[in-house]
């Protein structure tokens, strides 16, 4: 599943703009690939850093492993994709069966 997401934090107070949503179903598990506008430097699940074993970065793309997503509890997960300039792109993933 590949998604282009240009939702960066706004310039006012660092508040995120509207985020994109991907639905992840365990029954049809696939890595989630998100492309952003700048070089990716990290990934957070809400405020916690995601272990680098659970995702890969390539220039302006982050790929979140299906195995990692399948292990999360059902519900909406807010991922923060960190970019080289210090901004964040918010990408929501709805995890379920």
């Amino acid at each position: 599943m590949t998604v282009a997401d240009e939702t960066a934090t706004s310039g006012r107070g660092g508040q995120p703009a509207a985020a994109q949503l991907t639905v992840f179903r365990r029954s049809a598990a696939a890595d989630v690939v998100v492309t952003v506008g700048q070089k990716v430097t990290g990934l957070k699940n809400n405020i916690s850093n995601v272990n680098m074993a659970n995702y890969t970065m390539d220039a302006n793309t982050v790929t979140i492993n299906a195995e990692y997503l399948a292990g999360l509890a059902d519900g909406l997960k807010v991922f923060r994709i960190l970019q080289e300039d210090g901004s964040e792109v918010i990408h929501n993933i709805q995890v379920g069966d």
Side-chain angles (χ1 to χ4, degrees):
M1 177 178 316
T2 302
V3 179
D5 193 341
E6 297 292 336
T7 310
T9 54
S10 70
R12 293 189 300 261
Q15 294 300 310
Q20 297 293 317
L21 173 68
T22 298
V23 176
F24 175 84
R25 302 217 180 277
R26 289 181 192 89
S27 59
D31 293 348
V32 173
V33 180
V34 183
T35 302
V36 296
Q38 297 180 30
K39 181 178 178 185
V40 175
T41 60
L43 180 67
K44 291 185 176 190
N45 181 347
N46 197 8
I47 61 171
S48 300
N49 289 325
V50 175
N51 186 309
M52 289 190 69
N54 296 318
Y55 70 98
T56 59
M57 300 179 292
D58 182 27
N60 64 336
T61 301
V62 61
T63 302
I64 307 170
N65 298 342
E67 295 80 15
Y68 167 71
L69 294 170
L72 298 176
D74 286 357
L76 184 65
K77 308 303 175 202
V78 178
F79 286 90
R80 298 174 185 276
I81 302 167
L82 311 177
Q83 298 186 106
E84 189 171 45
D85 72 351
S87 66
E88 299 177 342
V89 172
I90 306 299
H91 191 87
N92 296 319
I93 299 179
Q94 180 68 43
V95 176
D97 290 326

